[in-house]
Amino acid sequence: ICLDGLPEGPEPEQTSRNDDEPRVAPCLVYDFGVRAQPQLGATMARDFGCEVHAFDPSPVSVEWWESDASKSLKEMPNYHFHPYGAGGTDGTVVLKEYNWGQVSILRYPSFEFHCETNATICALTHRPSQSFHLPVKTLPTIMKELGHEGRTVDLLKVDVEGSEYAFLENLLDSSGGCPNFINQITLEWHHFPWDWRYGEGSSPPINVIATLFHTCGLKNIYQHSENGWPANEKIYRDLGMDDVRYNLATFYRNKSATE
């Protein structure tokens, strides 16, 4: 992420819930997709004094928040956890068990076709995978419910295992194609193919979203790799997804360049 424009960190005594004096945070951060690794949000809350809201409905995340492992964050008055996720609609969606205790919008098959090394003995094997009915909300709904309408989101982080497309499409649709209240978006693109028409690792949905961001003043200042990194797991080929890639990207609004 780009740290330009963020405030200097608060004094250490200002990050304890024992202080009842209300304080206005100098920045607002939305962190979608936490699992049990809240390092980004924790750093923004502790070192920069931002008001941080973390979102993740995954069972592993809810379990983490309810355990002693999150004790230090619970004691911070400017860090808040919400057990629901990013969605293109408000309600409940079916998310499938994914890797590392995460859940994904991607529908994994219950069976996979497995062959021995010599490819002469093949059989269908059961692949156990749990399904969860979990709550999700759109960004406009979340900002309204949290009383953040009219505020600037200094950093929006989105790592939601495939749900980023519907979430961002709703954001663009609800903001007339230009979410000018967001200063920076950092995200992971999931499950996209290499589209040869563009000559690099990309896809039409990503290109449309990135173009709208660019038109709105959110410039692509970082991507992990030009082509994205491929996922070679057999499970994707069983789904007919022969080329599955991931990438990281950051879009930043350089306010000083337009002032």
Side-chain angles (χ1 to χ4, degrees):
I1 65 173
C2 180
L3 300 180
D4 292 353
L6 289 174
E8 295 183 2
E11 296 298 325
E13 63 270 13
Q14 294 180 356
T15 58
S16 171
R17 288 194 190 274
N18 295 326
D19 187 356
D20 294 329
E21 180 183 350
R23 301 179 185 276
V24 178
C27 43
L28 178 61
V29 174
Y30 281 5
D31 183 0
F32 288 92
V34 179
R35 201 167 19 129
Q37 297 178 324
Q39 289 88 338
L40 174 64
T43 299
M44 300 306 294
R46 180 185 61 247
D47 296 345
F48 294 91
C50 297
E51 178 182 346
V52 176
H53 292 265
F55 308 85
D56 200 320
S58 305
V60 66
S61 298
V62 176
E63 181 180 348
W64 159 77
W65 181 251
E66 293 175 350
S67 72
D68 290 339
S70 63
K71 183 177 182 295
S72 62
L73 290 176
K74 291 191 185 88
E75 294 174 348
M76 299 179 66
N78 54 329
Y79 188 95
H80 314 272
F81 177 80
H82 307 276
Y84 53 86
T89 186
D90 300 320
T92 300
V93 297
V94 178
L95 299 176
K96 296 280 285 186
E97 187 178 23
Y98 195 45
N99 51 13
W100 302 310
Q102 302 172 110
V103 291
S104 173
I105 197 73
L106 193 66
R107 298 290 187 266
Y108 284 128
S110 299
F111 292 87
E112 58 184 349
F113 195 65
H114 177 72
C115 295
E116 300 295 335
T117 304
N118 58 13
T120 60
I121 303 176
C122 300
L124 282 175
T125 57
H126 179 62
R127 183 183 186 278
S129 178
Q130 285 185 279
S131 296
F132 303 93
H133 290 76
L134 298 174
V136 297
K137 298 181 182 182
T138 63
L139 189 61
T141 294
I142 291 171
M143 295 189 72
K144 181 178 181 179
E145 291 182 352
L146 295 179
H148 293 163
E149 289 180 303
R151 288 188 61 179
T152 295
V153 177
D154 295 276
L155 174 62
L156 171 65
K157 187 211 100 177
V158 184
D159 183 4
V160 291
E161 310 308 317
S163 293
E164 63 270 17
Y165 301 101
F167 181 67
L168 294 174
E169 286 164 4
N170 174 271
L171 168 62
L172 290 165
D173 184 51
S174 63
S175 62
C178 183
N180 54 17
F181 56 91
I182 300 175
N183 284 341
Q184 185 169 187
I185 301 174
T186 187
L187 55 82
E188 181 173 359
W189 300 115
H190 295 82
H191 314 139
F192 69 89
W194 183 325
D195 192 319
W196 291 95
R197 294 175 299 172
Y198 297 95
E200 63 179 20
S202 186
S203 71
I206 291 178
N207 288 340
V208 170
I209 293 172
T211 298
L212 288 171
F213 283 166
H214 184 87
T215 303
C216 188
L218 288 161
K219 310 300 183 183
N220 186 194
I221 62 169
Y222 166 80
Q223 62 177 358
H224 179 270
S225 68
E226 182 178 89
N227 302 322
W229 67 88
N232 297 316
E233 289 90 342
K234 181 178 179 296
I235 190 68
Y236 293 119
R237 296 195 296 275
D238 289 341
L239 282 170
M241 302 169 68
D242 296 324
D243 184 15
V244 175
R245 296 169 184 263
Y246 300 80
N247 213 343
L248 304 173
T250 297
F251 300 85
Y252 177 70
R253 187 186 308 282
N254 188 349
K255 292 178 291 184
S256 62
T258 59
E259 292 175 351

